[in-house]
Amino acid sequence: MFATAACSRSTSALGGGGANPLPIPPLLDAQPGRSFALRVQSGTTSFYPGRSSDTLGYNGSYLGPTIRVRRGDDVAAAVTNGLNADTTVHWHGLLIPGELDGGPHQIIAPGATWRPTLPIRQPAATLLYHSHVHGLTAEQVYSGLAGALLVTDEEEQGLGLPSEYGVDDLPLIIQDRQFENGRLVMPGGMMVAMQGRRGDTILVNGAVNSLAAVPNRLVRLRLVNASNARIYELSFSDRRSFHWIGTEGGLLERVVALAAITLAPGQRAELLVDFTDGRPTSLVTAADTNASMMGGMGMMGRSASRTDAAAPSTVLRFEPRPSGQARASAAVPTLLVSRTRPDASKAVRGRRLILNMGMGGMMGSGSGGGGLTINGKPFDMNRIDEAVKLGSTEIWEVSGEMMRHPIHIHGVHFDVLTRGGGQPDVLDQGPRDTVLVKEPVELLIRFDQPAKNAPFMYHCHILEHEDNGMMGQFSVT
């Protein structure tokens, strides 16, 4: 798949058959020097004992460190490409000008170093960084090029939320991957182009069959869906409720009690879970059912041999343990942060985007040969699809054909105004950058970041759809 390099890593199970301790990505805190460095590299990773797989990672063989930046800082990044292929690093959810965004136009050639200075001017949030080189995004992300990016600020720190990184504040990068004989394989073919790459095994922070030892108090989970295509319908095996406190754009205004939450590719969610009762539990997901009609037959055929195809799959097991020092559990705040929403009455215009799957996407190809498009047009690096005025507010209506599509818009956070002509769902609330659409969904967007020297993207975050043409670009001037 990729040439192996000097870096290797093992996530293999203890004793060959037990659970893996949940790996915690190294914390790359940019605050002290207002800078950080990433090296994009190939390597080998042993997801299972004695079975090495060719993988990609940032500063390691698979995935990358958790980068933490602080609101108000200008952070100097240095990203060196150690691969023998082009790459980019997209700061997914960061509100910065188009030329810093790390999309398909900010190519990092093999051996080159990209040095953007990132102005951090947004509230605390859990973001994501990943490859976004056109035509190779799906392959590079599947192979490991993704990581968590945390923004922190004084308002968040004043809430008393769990904040001990890797102890009671856990980044959880959730992915599904396909293995054969313990080795990572990359599915290909027509069905992959239509449905996106799906896997039979769920990884958390790059490990299979993970077990998180957590203190028996309130714990903050930062969920990141870094899968290529899978939507997770997450809940706990003992049906316990939890507190939803944050979405892609940051903290909610008030805590929402839930028993289940949906997480689409590219989406993030922050949860507070109370483990004071000391009872072990598991985060589980419902069966993966998002498929176009034509692809559904293949998906059903794939799972027909498994009698438990409809049973929940375990994502991550939790074992609460008494913490070393006696420490009171943090209280769950009722109110979190205040935010000013864009004013819908000030919207200067509306736009309509339809995510098309002509012929079920079977004709879709990176050469623009057909089915996977937006408004009937496959992506073209040299075409600006929409021109937006800087500082303006607009309403975009987005819908998707044949299946649910996660639409991601670069350079903005938006609010969901309506879904299917009615009120938004409970899970639509808060500042978003990625949202599921099939029925028409109206998005209220204020465009405060310039994209004059390089455009922003909007696309389906099923990465194979994006690579094969379901993407457009817009300028903000």
Side-chain angles (χ1 to χ4, degrees):
M1 188 160 57
F2 291 96
T4 57
C7 185
S8 65
R9 167 181 162 198
S10 175
T11 65
S12 50
L14 300 174
N20 290 314
L22 175 73
I24 301 297
L27 180 63
L28 195 57
D29 195 338
Q31 196 185 345
R34 293 183 174 79
S35 64
F36 66 86
L38 293 177
R39 181 173 176 82
V40 190
Q41 56 195 76
S42 55
T44 59
T45 303
S46 295
F47 298 97
Y48 293 92
R51 305 278 179 169
S52 64
S53 300
D54 293 342
T55 53
L56 301 179
Y58 300 104
N59 298 1
S61 72
Y62 189 78
L63 297 178
T66 298
I67 301 169
R68 186 164 65 195
V69 297
R70 186 178 177 86
R71 186 180 193 174
D73 285 353
D74 293 322
V75 179
V79 184
T80 300
N81 182 5
L83 307 179
N84 56 10
D86 287 348
T87 195
T88 77
V89 180
H90 169 49
W91 319 109
H92 182 137
L94 207 54
L95 300 180
I96 51 179
E99 66 268 20
L100 306 176
D101 183 58
H105 292 271
Q106 285 84 53
I107 290 288
I108 311 170
T113 299
W114 181 45
R115 300 182 185 276
T117 295
L118 308 175
I120 311 300
R121 303 289 185 270
Q122 67 197 78
T126 299
L127 312 181
L128 169 66
Y129 65 96
H130 61 82
S131 167
H132 208 311
V133 59
H134 184 54
L136 290 174
T137 296
E139 189 175 311
Q140 291 190 356
V141 172
Y142 186 91
S143 300
L145 290 187
L149 173 61
L150 311 183
V151 178
T152 185
D153 65 11
E154 290 179 358
E155 189 174 19
E156 173 209 27
Q157 290 167 0
L159 291 169
L161 298 171
S163 59
E164 195 176 343
Y165 179 80
V167 178
D168 62 7
D169 183 355
L170 305 179
L172 302 178
I173 299 173
I174 305 172
Q175 302 170 300
D176 61 333
R177 294 293 183 262
Q178 191 75 24
F179 291 89
E180 287 181 8
N181 298 319
R183 289 188 170 89
L184 182 68
V185 295
M186 188 175 296
M190 188 65 70
M191 200 64 72
V192 162
M194 292 164 59
Q195 309 302 328
R197 284 186 177 87
R198 318 279 178 109
D200 57 7
T201 304
I202 295 175
L203 310 182
V204 181
N205 295 348
V208 299
N209 192 25
S210 300
L211 173 67
V214 292
N216 57 345
R217 56 179 191 255
L218 203 63
V219 174
R220 181 181 189 174
L221 305 180
R222 300 175 185 260
L223 307 180
V224 178
N225 186 345
S227 296
N228 284 41
R230 179 165 183 168
I231 300 168
Y232 297 95
E233 311 281 354
L234 298 165
S235 61
F236 284 94
S237 56
D238 58 3
R239 294 187 167 86
R240 73 176 66 195
S241 62
F242 53 85
H243 305 278
W244 179 35
I245 62 167
T247 182
E248 293 95 44
L251 296 173
L252 296 168
E253 292 181 271
R254 58 178 59 238
V255 169
V256 180
L258 296 174
I261 192 167
T262 301
L263 206 65
Q267 286 189 321
R268 289 86 66 205
E270 294 192 34
L271 314 180
L272 292 180
V273 184
D274 191 348
F275 291 107
T276 52
D277 62 7
R279 286 185 300 142
T281 189
S282 294
L283 186 67
V284 297
T285 184
D288 179 13
T289 58
N290 188 41
S292 68
M293 287 302 293
M294 300 181 77
M297 294 181 289
M299 289 186 71
M300 285 188 291
R302 187 183 73 188
S303 59
S305 61
R306 290 174 50 197
T307 55
D308 63 342
S313 300
T314 298
V315 176
L316 178 63
R317 292 158 56 196
F318 291 93
E319 274 191 9
R321 297 173 185 176
S323 42
Q325 68 257 39
R327 180 171 161 184
S329 186
V332 179
T334 305
L335 299 175
L336 293 168
V337 296
S338 58
R339 61 179 286 258
T340 305
R341 289 185 183 83
D343 184 348
S345 69
K346 302 279 174 61
V348 294
R349 66 165 293 174
R351 300 177 199 262
R352 179 176 292 170
L353 304 179
I354 301 173
L355 280 57
N356 309 115
M357 289 188 74
M359 288 291 291
M362 287 205 300
M363 300 296 291
S365 71
S367 59
L372 298 172
T373 62
I374 297 180
N375 292 347
K377 296 185 291 187
F379 179 66
D380 182 346
M381 286 273 281
N382 300 310
R383 183 188 69 233
I384 300 296
D385 296 286
E386 308 289 343
V388 177
K389 185 179 178 184
L390 183 63
S392 67
T393 300
E394 298 191 354
I395 296 173
W396 289 20
E397 183 198 273
V398 188
S399 59
E401 292 181 348
M402 300 187 73
M403 61 192 291
R404 292 189 292 169
H405 300 266
I407 178 76
H408 171 47
I409 306 175
H410 290 213
V412 299
H413 293 156
F414 51 76
D415 287 86
V416 178
L417 279 181
T418 65
R419 180 174 287 277
Q423 290 295 312
D425 292 343
V426 169
L427 295 179
D428 284 328
Q429 65 189 288
R432 316 304 301 246
D433 62 39
T434 307
V435 70
L436 277 170
V437 302
K438 188 176 184 186
E439 69 276 38
V441 176
E442 284 189 311
L443 309 177
L444 178 64
I445 315 172
R446 183 177 163 89
F447 297 88
D448 289 325
Q449 294 297 325
K452 181 180 181 181
N453 302 324
F456 285 128
M457 305 292 124
Y458 53 84
H459 58 85
C460 178
H461 218 280
I462 293 175
L463 300 181
E464 290 73 17
H465 287 181
E466 167 193 328
D467 272 345
N468 285 290
M470 198 179 285
M471 182 158 63
Q473 50 189 3
F474 64 101
S475 62
V476 184
T477 57

